């Protein structure tokens, strides 16, 4: 016991030095990690597949999705609603005027619906090594940390009004949300984050590919 | 034989923790996401933990080669391995399907394989921790020679 006590200053020294180095190096980074993690934007509204990719869904289905008057609508959706439900249009229009373009959340089910109709581009926001190990079949890789370097090559052939679904490791990861926000800032109008991430997709038995993907 | 064992353990442990630590230092954001995925720490502490832990791994690994800090380094790494094992068991018990975050960008799902690896690392750290003070007494008086070096 006495021997352990003698070691405490050394242990404290190692940890304290690590803390000082960590904070110093982080402060010197071009994009330092915030010391206190910011909460996920849980107020981000949800969007369903019909609203995220209205053109594709209209082509594929004869019955359009019903409008929800109180929900925040994507810009192009508002036009569709205007023809059918004038009362909700007024509310939606008010929301639209006061709401800047933003990235939405979408559910696994809606994402799969878009996937089945090839109505959305899926973008893996994780590191390229993780992408190569396993990713949603057909998804492209755009690691958010390398966004500026990769954006042009990856996104040049994707129209700005194309539905885009981003994902990362799970509901706790932030890369998909950051990537989605960045894409909106670059002019993409129909961007949504699939919160369940790759584990949710894989867990539902949906197709994945990569060096470590299950056959 | 015993000296050879501790020397080999030291080289392996130092190499693994240096590799793991440097990778995480290079990409703190990804590691912070991995830490958050375990859903153990409060959100406010996740980034601070993700920043400090890799440096602790690196410094403790380096300390294994400094006679004055050898046992301290081994003790810190033993503590880290214990934390990793508890975190992995906790994640498995809750059915979390997450990446372990063990080696920066390399993707390894939390599971029995990761747990087994951590247990082996813990055993090696314990071997180093139980090494007699990082010092060898040749005639009851002399100190400071490194076993196996």
């Amino acid at each position: 016991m006495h021997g352990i006590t003698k070691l405490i200053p050394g242990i404290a020294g190692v940890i304290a030095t690590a803390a000082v180095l960590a904070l110093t190096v982080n402060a010197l980074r071009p994009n330092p990690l915030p010391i206190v993690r910011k909460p996920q934007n849980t107020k981000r509204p949800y969007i369903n597949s019909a609203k995220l990719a209205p053109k594709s869904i209209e082509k594929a289905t004869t019955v359009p999705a019903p409008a929800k008057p109180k929900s925040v609508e994507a810009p192009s959706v508002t036009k569709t609603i205007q023809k059918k439900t004038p009362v909700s249009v007024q509310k939606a229009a008010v929301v639209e005027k006061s709401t800047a373009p933003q990235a939405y959340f979408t559910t696994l089910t809606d994402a799969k619906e878009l996937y089945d109709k090839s109505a959305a581009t899926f973008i893996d926001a994780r590191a390229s090594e993780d992408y190569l190990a396993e990713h949603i079949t057909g998804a492209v890789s755009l690691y958010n940390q390398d966004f500026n370097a990769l954006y042009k090559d990856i996104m040049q052939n994707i129209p700005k009004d194309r539905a885009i679904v981003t994902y990362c490791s799970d509901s706790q990861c932030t890369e998909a949300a950051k990537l989605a926000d960045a894409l909106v800032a670059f002019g993409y109008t129909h961007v949504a984050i699939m919160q369940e991430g790759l584990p949710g997709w894989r867990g539902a038995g949906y197709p994945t590919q990569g060096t470590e993907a299950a056959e | 034989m015993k000296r050879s064992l501790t020397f080999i353990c030291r080289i392996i442990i130092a190499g693994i923790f240096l590799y793991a630590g440097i990778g995480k230092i290079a990409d703190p954001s990804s590691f912070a996401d991995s830490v958050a995925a375990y859903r153990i720490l409060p959100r406010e502490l996740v980034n601070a933990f993700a920043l400090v832990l890799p440096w602790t791994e690196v410094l403790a690994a380096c300390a294994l080669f400094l006679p004055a800090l050898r046992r301290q380094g081994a003790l810190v790494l033993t503590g880290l391995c214990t934390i990793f094992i508890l975190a992995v068991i906790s994640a498995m018990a809750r059915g979390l399907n997450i990446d372990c975050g063990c080696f920066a960008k390399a993707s390894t799902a939390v599971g029995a394989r990761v747990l087994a690896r951590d247990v082996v690392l813990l055993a090696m750290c314990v071997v180093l921790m139980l090494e007699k003070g990082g010092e060898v007494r040749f005639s009851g008086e002399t100190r400071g020679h490194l076993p196996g070096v």
Side-chain angles (χ1 to χ4, degrees), chain B residues 64-87:
Chain B
L64 294 179
F65 295 99
L66 302 174
L69 288 173
R70 183 169 293 169
R71 286 194 74 194
Q72 288 89 332
L75 202 58
V76 169
L77 294 178
T78 302
L80 290 180
C81 283
T82 307
I83 291 170
F84 298 159
I85 288 170
L86 292 175

Side-chain angles (χ1 to χ4, degrees), chain A residues 29 34 37 130 143 175, chain B residues 25 27 30 33 43 47 105:
Chain A
R29 285 180 193 279
R37 191 177 180 83
D130 293 333
Y143 183 32
E175 297 302 333
Chain B
I25 288 168
D27 192 359
S30 287
D33 282 347
R43 174 181 54 78
N47 283 9
K105 293 176 181 177

